[in-house]
């Protein structure tokens, strides 16, 4: 298979649940090469547990399907708004895309952003209308909807003439015409080979490859992933790494990999046009070039988004600290962060000036909350702060902050509300395009304004809005953004909550805890509609004074408490608060727990402000 005509590189674009994983599994099974490893992990592409639960792809992964003497490399596309840059890199690695659409539900707005990128990149499209076995499926109607979408997104004539395949990934069949007999997956394989162009690559030139992604393998460490643009590469080859700063360093290829359903597999040689992985390099990054000749020019460096978000991770020093987690010490947290940095190039952690507190940088708050959730499941207990943006200074010492391009698509009737939301967050709407029932807004917005925006827009549009964003540039500080207009109800003591006390507190604001929950001084147990923090007692053991109720409180009907997810808690807290994360619980609290201590520090800060003014 040392010929580009036997290789095809494609990306899959699909809305959650339209059957991407099932389709890839079926292609792998039909291709036959996975038989040697017969327990094909179900749902090969969603390898992280967390991804399975959230139903989104967090990191783009690759799979190679072998069919006859052909290799089809399939690259997954991340589905979350925080990973816009990764989508762009994926589109540069492939020559075509499979647009997978449910024959019942039709194309969904979430895929629009990725499809638009594919169209802009000039990629060839194959439309797969899946789940035709579903009762009440309407493949013909869905086909019309897809064509409308392609037109709206300004597909070229060639892209608009995309071939269609219909089928049922679940039943392992694909057909080119709805009246064809339903036999197997062959029609899709054939169509991929016929319609997707072979990779443009130069097999006879010296080896060169642009690193498009970094993977991690527990045995070999960092794996540079990319498409070979010219030549070929074998284990033990001596090559050069052209770094982004222009320097070149020598390296030896320790292993060549191809992608399987469950990970990577060694292969003797990587050839031009193929997407492969190479190990043997400690110090490499996305966008750098690997090449056989030192004197060759490196490929143009592909910029990676800078880390613009930072958060603090700290040892849990609260009254319940260490009681619920397996790993709770500063050393354990630091070791875990160091391990993460090796395999996840988008996370950078460092020790802060304060013992037991670490700064964690990433490209989006979603990436950090995924890490926190993973740590929690592994048995860690820790405190995390609200995400903040990484500021810079210009030559004159003025503050600069990161800005993003934001695309947000909402039902027409929600446009006014969403525009208000954007302007409150200092976003400037630059373009507005109306489709049938929806409108796409394009805005430039400070990265600060993106934090928590998704939650608010989902509330506002009843879950019908979709957003994506991409780092744009650093620019002058845009002014204050009020993130929370409410204050908190804080527990003023350590004990268990009682129905009596909570019932009385219901008038004060929304509650975040029910009865019988352990709370402590400085823990946030509810929301005060006014902006200040109000210490309250939620733990009075029995009716005091003249509260008239029968018996021991069993008759009291409390409103259900508001329960926050990890992501939501992280976005909800203010700068002087933490989320306490343990394997069993999520709590929100003040960084300084004792009321007296907080008051003292606030006074000191005020004095400092006045002396500086
Ligand atoms: P995420 O992993 O959540 O991104 O979804 P996905 O797009 O990978 O979809 P997945 O393959 O997990 O399929 C979603 C659901 O649809 C599963 O319950 C599948 O069994 C089902 N499904 C997939 N293909 C078909 C099909 O052709 N027909 C029917 N009836 N169901 C299907």
């Amino acid at each position: 298979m040392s010929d580009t005509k036997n290789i095809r590189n494609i990306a899959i674009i699909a809305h959650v649940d339209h059957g991407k994983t099932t389709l890839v599994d079926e292609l792998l099974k039909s291709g036959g090469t996975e038989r040697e490893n017969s327990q094909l992990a179900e749902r090969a592409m969603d390898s992280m547990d967390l991804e399975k639960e959230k139903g989104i792809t967090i990191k783009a992964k690759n799979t190679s399907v072998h069919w006859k003497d052909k290799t089809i490399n399939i690259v997954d596309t991340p589905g979350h708004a925080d990973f816009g840059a990764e989508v762009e890199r994926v589109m540069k690695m492939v020559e075509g895309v499979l647009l997978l659409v449910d024959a019942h539900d039709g194309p969904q707005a979430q895929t629009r952003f990725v499809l638009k990128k594919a169209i802009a990149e000039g990629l060839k499209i194959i439309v797969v209308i899946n789940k035709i076995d579903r009762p009440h499926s309407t493949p013909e109607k869905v086909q019309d909807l897809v064509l409308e979408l392609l037109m709206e997104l300004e597909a070229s004539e060639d892209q608009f003439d995309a071939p269609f395949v219909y089928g049922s990934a679940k039943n392992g069949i694909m057909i080119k015409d709805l009246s064809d007999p339903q036999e197997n997956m062959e029609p899709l394989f054939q169509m991929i080979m016929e319609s997707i162009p072979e990779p443009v690559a130069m097999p006879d030139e010296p080896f060169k490859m642009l690193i498009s992604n970094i993977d991690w393998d527990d045995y070999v460490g960092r794996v540079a992933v990319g498409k070979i643009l010219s030549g070929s590469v074998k284990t033990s080859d001596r090559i050069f790494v052209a770094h982004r700063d222009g320097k070149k360093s020598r390296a030896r290829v320790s292993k060549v990999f191809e992608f399987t359903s469950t990970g990577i597999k060694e292969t003797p040689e990587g050839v031009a046009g193929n997407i492969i992985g190479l190990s043997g390099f400690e110090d490499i990054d996305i966008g750098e070039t690997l090449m056989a000749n030192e004197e060759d020019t490196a490929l143009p460096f592909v910029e990676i988004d800078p880390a613009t978000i930072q958060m603090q991770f700290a040892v849990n020093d609260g009254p319940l600290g260490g009681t619920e987690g397996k790993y709770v010490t500063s050393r354990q947290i630091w070791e875990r962060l160091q391990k993460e940095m090796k395999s996840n190039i988008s996370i950078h952690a460092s020790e802060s000036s304060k013992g037991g507190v670490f700064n964690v940088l990433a490209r989006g708050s979603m990436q950090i909350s995924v890490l926190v959730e993973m740590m929690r499941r592994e048995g860690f207990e820790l405190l995390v702060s609200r995400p903040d943006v990484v500021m810079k200074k210009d030559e004159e010492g003025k503050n600069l902050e990161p800005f993003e391009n934001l695309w947000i698509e909402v039902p027409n009737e929600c446009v006014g509300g969403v525009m208000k939301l954007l302007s409150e967050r200092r976003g400037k709407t630059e373009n507005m395009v109306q489709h049938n029932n929806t409108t796409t807004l394009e805005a430039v917005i400070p990265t600060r304004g993106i934090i928590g925006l998704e939650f608010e827009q989902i509330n506002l549009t009843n879950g019908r809005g979709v957003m994506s964003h991409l780092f744009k540039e650093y620019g002058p500080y845009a002014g204050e953004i009020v993130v929370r207009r409410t204050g908190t109800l804080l527990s003023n003591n350590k004990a268990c909550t009682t129905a009596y006390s909570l019932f009385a507190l219901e008038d004060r604001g929304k509650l975040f805890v029910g009865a019988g929950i352990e709370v402590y001084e400085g823990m946030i147990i509810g929301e005060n509609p006014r902006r200040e923090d109000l210490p309250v007692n939620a733990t009075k053991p029995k009716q005091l004074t003249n509260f008239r109720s029968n018996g021991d409180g069993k008759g009291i009907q409390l409103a259900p408490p508001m329960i926050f997810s990890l992501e939501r808690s992280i976005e909800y807290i203010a700068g002087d608060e933490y989320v306490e994360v343990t394997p069993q619980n999520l709590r929100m609290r003040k960084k300084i727990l004792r009321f007296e201590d907080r008051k003292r520090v606030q006074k000191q800060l005020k004095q400092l402000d006045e002396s500086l003014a």
Side-chain angles (χ1 to χ4, degrees), residues 483-501:
V483 288
R484 198 170 78 198
R485 290 169 202 285
T486 53
T488 61
L489 301 178
L490 296 173
S491 171
N492 67 3
N493 65 335
K494 181 174 182 300
C496 271
T497 54
T498 61
Y500 284 118
S501 308

Side-chain angles (χ1 to χ4, degrees), residues 439-476:
T439 302
T440 306
L441 297 165
E442 284 184 40
V444 174
I445 183 167
T447 307
R448 275 183 303 142
I450 301 261
I451 300 169
L453 175 66
E454 184 150 26
F455 179 81
E456 292 203 27
Q457 72 84 5
I458 285 176
N459 260 354
L460 201 107
T461 61
N462 280 331
R464 290 172 298 161
V466 191
M467 58 179 262
S468 304
H469 57 95
L470 204 58
F471 172 77
K472 182 169 191 269
E473 62 192 3
Y474 267 85

Side-chain angles (χ1 to χ4, degrees), residues 103 129-135 137 139 166-168 173 175 178 182:
I129 300 198
N130 188 33
K131 304 200 190 183
I132 57 166
D133 60 296
R134 269 181 83 178
S137 68
Y166 315 83
S168 163
I173 58 112
I175 44 180
L178 280 167
Q182 303 188 355

Side-chain angles (χ1 to χ4, degrees), residues 160-176:
F160 187 74
D161 286 337
F164 278 72
V165 185
Y166 315 83
S168 163
K170 198 165 101 180
N171 297 340
I173 58 112
M174 288 287 148
I175 44 180
K176 284 187 183 162

